[in-house]
Amino acid sequence: MGAKVIGYDLYPNKHAEEVLTYVTQDELIKQSDLVSIHVPYFKGQNDNLINKDFISKMKPMSSIVNVSRAPLVNLKDAVEAIKANKIFGYACDVFDNESSLINKQLTMDAIKKLNPTLEEAISLYPRLLISPHVAYFTDEAVKNMADISFKNLDELIKTGTCETALNPVQK
């Protein structure tokens, strides 16, 4: 689509260089119109990786996409940055304490009681987008999960263990 794609990674990958140019983290923050986060979360090590300080270095009116884990982004700082027009937007499919909201009939008052920052974030639509954490939930992925589960069950019945067992039985 003609976009210049840059990336930062503690562990650069030669294959990724086919589609992106690696830069320093500061260069990435300063140059990017869109910062997309694809990193693992390590509790106590990279909490609030995206915070007020990170956002203050971003290109004006850029956006952030978090498809990793909620604790990587300080939602309150993202909300404040959007309201101050420092960044244009934030999109995610994760948020703190999301399990407390699953399978519940929710009103905005209920959300506000559970997570006041989330309630404020929702009010910033369309500049702040929150979608369900269902990236895995495609027809193909669900079919593969079912196929693998039945294959494992068949193998388990026939042999007493299966290839993907977490604690395989030693024979």
Side-chain angles (χ1 to χ4, degrees):
M1 296 179 68
K4 177 183 176 186
V5 180
I6 59 176
Y8 169 76
D9 197 325
L10 290 173
Y11 307 99
N13 177 322
K14 285 283 185 200
H15 297 291
E17 290 177 358
E18 295 173 13
V19 294
L20 64 81
T21 303
Y22 283 110
V23 296
T24 67
Q25 184 177 1
D26 283 340
E27 288 175 305
L28 180 124
I29 296 168
K30 188 169 35 171
Q31 293 179 33
S32 296
D33 294 312
L34 175 70
V35 175
S36 185
I37 305 158
H38 305 267
V39 299
Y41 169 61
F42 299 106
K43 188 173 183 163
Q45 294 179 36
N46 60 353
D47 302 77
N48 296 313
L49 177 69
I50 310 301
N51 57 28
K52 193 176 291 190
D53 182 53
F54 184 104
I55 293 169
S56 73
K57 298 174 188 174
M58 290 179 68
K59 189 174 180 179
M61 296 306 286
S62 54
S63 295
I64 301 167
V65 175
N66 180 10
V67 292
S68 292
R69 295 289 180 246
L72 293 168
V73 175
N74 183 312
L75 182 60
K76 188 171 187 155
D77 290 350
V79 166
E80 288 175 14
I82 292 168
K83 288 169 63 176
N85 288 318
K86 172 62 186 149
I87 61 172
F88 177 77
Y90 174 63
C92 65
D93 65 350
V94 291
F95 50 89
D96 289 328
N97 303 317
E98 61 188 84
S99 62
S100 65
L101 303 176
I102 294 172
N103 294 325
K104 295 197 169 108
Q105 292 286 333
L106 295 172
T107 64
M108 288 305 284
D109 286 337
I111 291 170
K112 188 175 186 173
K113 285 178 188 171
L114 288 169
N115 187 334
T117 303
L118 181 60
E119 186 264 343
E120 186 176 12
I122 291 169
S123 74
L124 293 173
Y125 173 82
R127 290 181 61 190
L128 199 145
L129 303 173
I130 299 172
S131 71
H133 191 88
V134 293
Y136 72 93
F137 201 62
T138 64
D139 289 342
E140 181 180 0
V142 171
K143 181 186 179 312
N144 288 343
M145 285 187 275
D147 289 347
I148 290 167
S149 295
F150 283 114
K151 178 182 172 255
N152 288 345
L153 179 60
D154 183 57
E155 188 179 350
L156 185 63
I157 290 168
K158 290 177 181 172
T159 69
T161 189
C162 66
E163 182 181 336
T164 59
L166 294 177
N167 296 308
V169 176
Q170 302 297 321
K171 290 188 173 189

